């Protein structure tokens, strides 16, 4: 059955979403040995494809999107999904759980972002390359493919939950959009909890409207209201909280507020507010740079003065007591980045960042499975 899934051509086995042939293939083989006890690419593809048969029945799925084309300062988040899976599965043989499915990775063409930026002949060439079919109706750019895959996923498994691993934060655009539109169709009232050092509320960056600094702006219309977007941990912004809240109608909780008031008070305030609005389910988007750079500096834009992992987890555990989390993503983990200027004051990287990311990912798995 899985060969006939409409989304099958846009996906590849876990770890293969970074397009390499020989370079760095050891890392992929290691992961495939761990999950499938096999490293021969053709055999891996067959075994993985067979697991897609369970798509309609699983409660939790994982999708990797190895795209950092929407980033723009330091790239490298395309390696996030491979490294995160390695640490996730080393600790927890989740892939053996029949309620869980690793959908694999999107087949990313690393130079592309969204199909709307492409002309017809480029789309045709890429369709030939990816699908061996110039007139295929399938999209070819990572953000477009991700949206299409998730739309189909929710159609096939309306109760299914997905954790998306990025990738730069532009990947949250299709992940959150597909989730919000699905929940709207299901008449479910949902809210977005967004952890980040930055607001990601630009309208565009250098003329490109979908990127790591602007994705939130373009999903707001799909929320029940703009005030169903809560941004936590903001601290690096040219404008103050009032500017963003007034211009966009969203709610922000800057890092200094966490320091002044503590997690307990802020989480209670948000929970009361969510209840007042009748929110039923929550999506959490987590940019790893929400964390302080001493805990996570292997990322494109590490920032000092951030939240600690423990603070984020106490917030999230409190949230989980009151609401079900039905969608989540973890973005901007870039394992090969280690800013040399900060070397002296940080823990060894990328282990520190991966360890921090792992705690957040474990929380998602634990609360969504
Ligand atoms: Mn971000």
């Amino acid at each position: 059955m899985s060969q006939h899934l409409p989304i099958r051509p846009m996906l590849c086995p876990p770890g293969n979403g970074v397009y390499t042939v020989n370079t760095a293939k050891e890392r992929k083989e290691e992961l495939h040995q761990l999950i499938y006890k096999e490293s021969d690419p053709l055999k891996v593809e067959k075994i993985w494809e067979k697991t897609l048969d369970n798509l309609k029945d699983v409660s939790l799925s994982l999708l990797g999107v190895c795209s950092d084309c929407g980033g723009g300062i330091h790239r490298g988040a395309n390696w996030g999904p491979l490294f995160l899976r390695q640490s996730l599965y080393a600790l927890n043989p989740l892939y053996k759980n029949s309620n869980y499915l690793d959908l694999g990775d999107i087949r990313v063409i690393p130079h592309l972002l969204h199909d709307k930026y492409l002309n017809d002949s480029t789309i045709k060439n890429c369709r030939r390359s990816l699908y061996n079919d110039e007139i295929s109706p399938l999209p070819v750019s990572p953000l477009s493919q991700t949206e299409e895959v998730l739309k189909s996923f929710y159609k096939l498994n309306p109760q299914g939950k997905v954790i998306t691993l990025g990738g730069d934060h532009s990947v949250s655009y299709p992940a959150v959009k597909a989730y919000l539109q699905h929940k709207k169709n299901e008449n479910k009232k949902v809210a977005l909890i967004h952890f980040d050092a930055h607001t990601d509320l630009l309208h565009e960056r250098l003329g490109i409207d979908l990127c790591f600094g602007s994705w939130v702006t373009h999903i707001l219309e799909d929320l029940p209201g703009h005030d169903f977007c809560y941004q936590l941990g903001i601290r690096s912004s040219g404008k103050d909280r009032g500017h963003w809240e007034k211009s966009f109608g969203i709610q922000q909780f800057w890092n200094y507020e966490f320091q002044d008031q503590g997690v307990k008070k802020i989480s209670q305030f948000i929970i009361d507010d969510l209840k007042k609005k009748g929110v039923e389910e929550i999506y959490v988007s987590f940019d790893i740079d929400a964390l302080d750079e001493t805990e996570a500096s292997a990322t494109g834009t590490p920032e000092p003065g951030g939240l600690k992992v423990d603070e984020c987890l106490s917030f999230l555990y409190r949230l989980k007591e009151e609401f079900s989390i039905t969608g989540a993503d973890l973005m901007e983990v870039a394992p090969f980045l280690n800013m040399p200027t900060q070397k002296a004051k940080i823990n060894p990287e990328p282990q520190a960042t991966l360890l921090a990311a792992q705690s957040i990912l474990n929380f998602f798995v634990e609360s969504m499975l």
Side-chain angles (χ1 to χ4, degrees), residues 169 194-200 212-213 215 287 289 301 331-332:
H169 218 158
H194 169 208
F195 284 89
D196 210 312
H198 316 92
T199 67
D200 297 356
F212 73 142
W215 69 274
D287 187 324
D289 71 27
T301 50
M331 299 289 156
E332 298 284 0

Side-chain angles (χ1 to χ4, degrees), residues 41 49 62 120 151 153-154 162 165 202 205 207 228 238 252-253 267 272 297 343 352 359:
E49 193 171 64
L62 189 82
D120 291 347
K151 261 193 197 159
F153 174 89
Y154 289 128
V162 183
L165 298 178
L202 295 173
R205 188 171 185 264
F228 286 70
Q252 290 186 341
F253 300 85
S267 53
D272 291 344
S297 75
K343 232 174 197 163
S359 312

